[in-house]
Amino acid sequence: MSSTQQQTTRPKRRPGPPSRLPVLATLPLSLLLTMLVTASLIPLARSSVPRLPLSHPFLSHKSFPCPLWSSSFSFCLSHLSRSTSPSFFSCSSSSMASSSSSSVLGGETLEGNNPLLQDFVFPPFDAVNPEHVRPGIRALLKKLEGDLVDLESRVEPTWPRLVEPLERIVDGLQVVWGAVNHLKAVKDCPELRSAVEEVQPEKVKFQLRLGQSKPIYNAFKAMQESSSWEELNDAQKRIVEGQVKEAVLNGVSLEDDKREQFNKIEQELEKLSQKFGENVLDSIKKFEKLITDKNEIEGLPPSALGLAAQTAVSKGHVMATAENGPWMITLDAPSYLPVMQHARNRSLREEVYRAYYTRASSGDFDNTAIIDQILKLRLEKAKLLGYNNYAEVSMAMKMATVEKAEELLEKLRSASWKAAIQEMEDLKVFAKEQGAVEADDLNHWDITFWSERLREAKYDINEEELRPFFSLPKVMDGLFSLAKTLFDINIEPADGLAPVWNNDVRFYCVKDSLGDPIAYFYFDPYSRPSEKRGGAWMDEVLSRSRVFARDGTSARLPVAHMVCNQTPPVGDKPSLMTFREVETVFHEFGHALQHMLTKQDEGLVAGIRGIEWDAVELPSQFMENWCYQRDTLMSIARHYETGDPLPEEVYLKLLAARTFNAGSLSLRQLRFASLDLELHSKYVPGGSESIYDVDQRVSKRTQIMLPLPEDRFLCSFSHIFAGGYAAGYYSYKWAEVLSADAFSAFEDAGLDNEKAIRETGQKFRETVLALGGGKAPLEVFINFRGREPSPEALLRHNGLLELSASA
């Protein structure tokens, strides 16, 4: 059948029944809380790639990415579209740009002109080139090794003689390596890859040397057992307890031969994870489909056609236009998603879908063997540490256990199953009513297309038609205005104050009510698929710290960066965002707020440091709720040309569509979380089952439509193989009950009562945002809410309370 013959018919609009969701009335509240604190029934998981909850913050690159298929899943699927501006950072030549001085190296500038080794306030992102990485990291490691030897020779179980010098070592590597790692995430190139690959083993060796230091471990143990223990404050106790636990997980108690084996495993895992991510990026870059016949892409909205033409121009087709083509389709989300949602050409949808779900699974970029080796080494590591499997290792620093996580996932699967079956039946009926030839044989590349048509029919809403109302400048203005209302802060542009890595990057200063700076952050909004990793994330650049205070200040100010991969400006239009992209910006800003508004002066638990993985999504998901709050949404939703506000009826439709396909989307998340736990708790590497066999087996109980036999999703599951979510993907759900309950405090106060909103916002700031990792997350929540968390708000937000009450 030709592509023309396979084009899908245009749908007719019709009203549809409300989404059917599971009834939970028969479950006791205590069980609901256990379930929902770990994985709520919100159909679109709201979160941000990888961060390990290590008390030594440099032991792993930590950032906060979207989960797959989140409310911002368009960012989490792959690398997105293309930058509109050149970069300062160069992969081929040195830059002589300079930056301000800082206390990063304790006020010390190392020898030479290497920008990584200078004393700077803000990292010299514009001056660092691949040629600086090898000598810079090696010189830094040499200095830090000397500092460590000195610490070990003089260590005492006191704060000034143990924790403060340790923080200087930890921070020294975190800041410099963090800058290099960040550039690799946003400015990847072969020269930088090679440099990082060469020095990474040396960096890991030092990390292990520090993490396994017996003098430091013994000093922390002595602090725990000393008579002065009770004199420490909560944050200091959390630091000591975390360091002791982390040392054990880092192998400090292993005998020499086992420690050597452990260290070899850690080195190999670091290398494999790095290669995994590079393969995903390279496989995405490799796929390009040039289309010259407009009939082949019938149905694509103007924004997608404009982006496809812009991509074609960047690939040498200089005469490409949105109207006449040619058009370049890629696997970047702003290109991939419109094809799956809107292309009537079923053959095109199938081709792009198959390419997407076989990323990094063949040829030079095949991740299959890498996955097998990662799982094998993680199991060996777990056994060395005395655990049964790697999932138990992962849970050692989380709030859940393997058993509780598995119990939760099964409860959720059972609760979502009937709703998902009905949703699939509704989709088939709808497709048949529209005369679709594939209605009796819907396949994976049909689901998204027909779901979008059904959503349009039920709610009379088209996401593409909303784009003109969400221009990036207006969204940011509204977001900053909300932050002022809630937290009494002012956010001002500070472009030019700090070096940046690309012309599109903005720099902001956060000021308190008196106008004094309290934090800074970078914002890199647009995708650059040739060099920038996919997803959206927040990470620290500098943390707040008393130890690094200078010039008469009480603490070094925190600095963060927010990175998104949203649709860039096309032509003379600003970046016009989907509603999902709006949610993503709010989400990452929530993470940034927790880092920037911390009042914790102990650097090892300030901001996002030291917070249990399961709770770290609270502020990010909390901020997403405001996207649906009427005053907030109306403040950001104005037509970029006319200035007209979003019509009231459209706002109401957005609210109604919030839980569309709840059961199906819940099961999709459960597949990922269950597969993650299965691979890290029960799977036997080298056994009779392959990783793909496990995926198919797990999918039989988590998916209404089984994956294709050739589905290789695992080969691009970067969250668990190139990030910090191994045996932890479930934890995206953990904080949802907390965030919903936190937002309900504002609902209780009255969302139209500005005075009450300001008072409640100030309380949220002084607890959730201010305390960082210095207090256990449950205590922090109780300090804010006055009680332990309840699932009621989460159930209500998703329409489940009403259904339960009527059952």
Side-chain angles (χ1 to χ4, degrees), residues 252-269:
V252 71
S253 301
L254 297 177
E255 298 299 326
D256 290 345
D257 56 339
K258 290 186 176 180
R259 189 186 307 170
E260 182 178 351
Q261 183 183 355
F262 179 93
N263 291 350
K264 287 180 179 178
I265 289 173
E266 290 290 86
Q267 287 280 10
E268 185 66 14
L269 283 173

Side-chain angles (χ1 to χ4, degrees), residues 375 378 390-391 394-395 398 406 409 669-683 694-695 698 701 713-714 717 719-721 724-732:
L375 293 172
R378 284 175 177 170
Y390 185 78
S394 176
M395 298 293 180
K398 294 183 175 68
E406 289 178 336
L409 294 177
Q669 281 289 83
L670 292 173
R671 173 195 173 191
F672 301 149
S674 300
L675 179 58
D676 172 34
L677 278 182
E678 186 78 12
L679 290 173
H680 288 103
S681 63
K682 298 181 178 65
Y683 174 67
V694 175
D695 189 8
V698 168
R701 57 185 175 84
F713 156 75
L714 276 170
F717 199 176
H719 284 72
I720 69 171
F721 295 120
Y725 282 88
Y729 192 87
Y730 81 92
S731 41
Y732 271 119

Side-chain angles (χ1 to χ4, degrees), residues 427-460:
L427 197 63
K428 291 177 179 178
V429 169
F430 177 76
K432 181 171 288 189
E433 289 179 353
Q434 305 306 309
V437 295
E438 67 268 26
D440 293 325
D441 187 30
L442 290 180
N443 217 314
H444 293 278
W445 43 88
D446 303 315
I447 301 303
T448 303
F449 176 85
W450 284 111
S451 292
E452 189 67 16
R453 304 290 78 75
L454 178 56
R455 190 172 75 97
E456 291 171 353
K458 288 177 67 173
Y459 304 106
D460 192 25

Side-chain angles (χ1 to χ4, degrees), residues 249 378-379 381-383 385-398 402 680 726-727:
L249 293 176
R378 284 175 177 170
L379 181 58
K381 172 182 173 178
K383 298 287 189 181
L385 293 174
Y387 292 93
N388 294 314
N389 52 62
Y390 185 78
E392 292 181 357
V393 178
S394 176
M395 298 293 180
M397 294 299 289
K398 294 183 175 68
V402 176
H680 288 103

Side-chain angles (χ1 to χ4, degrees), residues 151 154-168 223 232 236 546-547 602:
L151 171 59
R154 300 185 297 108
V155 67
E156 297 176 8
T158 65
W159 213 256
R161 300 299 296 270
L162 170 59
V163 183
E164 291 180 6
L166 175 63
E167 184 183 339
R168 291 186 180 279
M223 286 187 76
L232 300 181
Q236 291 173 327
R546 172 182 53 80
V547 168
E602 294 295 343

